[in-house]
Amino acid sequence: MQIKTRSRALQWGDISSAVVNFEGVRARHAAGKRPGRPQLIIVSNQVAGPGLTQKMTRDDWPNDITIFTPGAPAPDPWLPPAWESVDEAVAWCTREAAGVPFASLAPQTLVWKLAARAVLACTGHGGQMFNASEMPAIYEQFVQELQAFPAPPAPYLPQATEPELLTAAKVRLITGFSGSGKPAWASHAATHCPEPITYFDVSPLSRDAVAGALARELAARHLDTAQRAELPYGAGVDVLRAVHHHLAGTPVAIVIDNPPTGCRRPARPGIRTTFDATRTARPAPPRPDRFRSPPRHRDGKPQRVDGRQRGRCVR
């Protein structure tokens, strides 16, 4: 690949030496001295001039030489566009960097970091190859569970009409007054649940961050390194759908705490989008025989506390 930056239309004289050198590369491939298929891609920030354009349209123009200019389709899907300026290149890369899942760096910061690494590689220091397995570390992708159930009180006094944590319902809404023990109920019930439960507090998140943050929690808990590497680059809801695809057939329960209920909470579409991204999940039937009975008073009756529990349990 050759990069040609010009302030005028690209001419044959700008690329002739690269084409001549490529003839030697092609000959070594033909002799079996180099593996693979030879291909020369010349990328320019300027369109081809009339003379070069006429030469490229002739029947004797080699099929393994491509002149890639602004506005032309990329000869390979892995190539970015041919940009006219550095500013255009930075803007395009920043938009692409925004789609890196679980990135801990701002998109523009990641772009400049990669640019610095590329410049360093051009000097010959640290090698001139970037392996795909190294990219998550270079991207500083952070895939760890950041949330956990709050510790239940000890001893825990159950309510008289406590619902089961897991049922056949896909989505459940449990409501109650503030301070009625909603997180305590969920935390205590989760300790007796035979299936993995993910706790997810929505309150510190903006609407657009809900799906991506939940995808991070589920990926950290349920996916291995190879599965995480297969996740797509894109919006948080797209990553959540991909995580859900990997979890197909795996019973997973999510307790969403502090869902939006007022003007200071994230807008409802953020939660709705999250549910829609996992709408194909199949809830496993409840298995009460695998739950241990909650503690009771000496008379055998559970303690009654005013108010009902609140939270969301998604199957």
Side-chain angles (χ1 to χ4, degrees):
M1 180 179 292
Q2 291 278 322
I3 309 296
K4 301 294 183 180
T5 303
R6 297 292 184 269
S7 58
R8 46 156 177 81
L10 192 67
Q11 307 295 327
W12 169 249
D14 298 324
I15 67 171
S16 57
S17 60
V19 172
V20 171
N21 291 335
F22 180 67
E23 292 176 356
V25 174
R26 187 190 294 126
R28 289 194 292 275
H29 278 275
K33 297 180 179 179
R34 296 188 62 168
R37 179 176 62 88
Q39 183 181 20
L40 174 62
I41 300 175
I42 299 176
V43 185
S44 175
N45 67 321
Q46 298 290 338
V47 298
L52 178 58
T53 300
Q54 184 179 9
K55 194 176 184 67
M56 292 166 54
T57 57
R58 289 167 49 179
D59 293 338
D60 59 349
W61 181 262
N63 294 327
D64 53 4
I65 298 179
T66 302
I67 310 299
F68 186 27
T69 59
D76 284 298
W78 55 269
L79 280 172
W83 305 297
E84 295 184 4
S85 65
V86 174
D87 290 340
E88 183 182 348
V90 171
W92 185 90
C93 291
T94 301
R95 290 193 299 271
E96 292 295 306
V100 175
F102 314 133
S104 59
L105 298 177
Q108 193 169 42
T109 303
L110 177 57
V111 169
W112 290 119
K113 175 183 178 179
L114 294 177
R117 292 291 297 264
V119 171
L120 179 63
C122 290
T123 66
H125 291 80
Q128 295 180 306
M129 179 181 296
F130 294 91
N131 295 319
S133 60
E134 301 172 349
M135 298 316 295
I138 295 177
Y139 290 160
E140 298 189 34
Q141 290 175 283
F142 183 79
V143 188
Q144 291 187 13
E145 286 187 275
L146 300 180
Q147 300 194 32
F149 279 103
Y156 176 75
L157 302 179
Q159 301 183 24
T161 57
E162 281 190 349
E164 294 284 351
L165 180 61
L166 301 183
T167 70
K170 175 179 171 60
V171 181
R172 296 165 60 211
L173 176 63
I174 317 270
T175 62
F177 293 107
S178 177
S180 59
K182 301 178 292 293
W185 162 74
S187 299
H188 177 75
T191 61
H192 301 280
C193 180
E195 297 176 0
I197 308 290
T198 297
Y199 175 80
F200 187 61
D201 187 359
V202 180
S203 60
L205 302 173
S206 66
R207 179 188 64 182
D208 296 335
V210 170
L214 179 56
R216 183 198 303 268
E217 297 292 319
L218 294 175
R221 186 178 183 90
H222 299 286
L223 302 188
D224 57 31
T225 302
Q227 290 173 322
R228 296 172 191 168
E230 295 175 359
L231 296 177
Y233 288 11
V237 66
D238 296 328
V239 179
L240 180 59
R241 290 192 184 101
V243 172
H244 173 247
H245 175 74
H246 280 291
L247 294 176
T250 301
V252 175
I254 309 166
V255 172
I256 298 182
D257 200 5
N258 295 311
T261 56
C263 61
R264 292 181 295 176
R265 298 295 188 195
R268 291 183 184 276
I271 297 295
R272 180 67 186 181
T273 301
T274 300
F275 291 159
D276 290 343
T278 57
R279 63 170 55 193
T280 60
R282 294 185 303 172
R287 293 179 288 182
D289 57 303
R290 296 187 60 180
F291 287 81
R292 295 194 297 270
S293 300
R296 296 173 176 266
H297 280 192
R298 293 179 180 177
D299 59 3
K301 298 180 180 180
Q303 173 70 20
R304 181 178 180 84
V305 180
D306 291 337
R308 292 177 295 166
Q309 304 294 339
R310 176 188 182 180
R312 282 182 184 243
C313 183
V314 182
R315 294 281 297 173

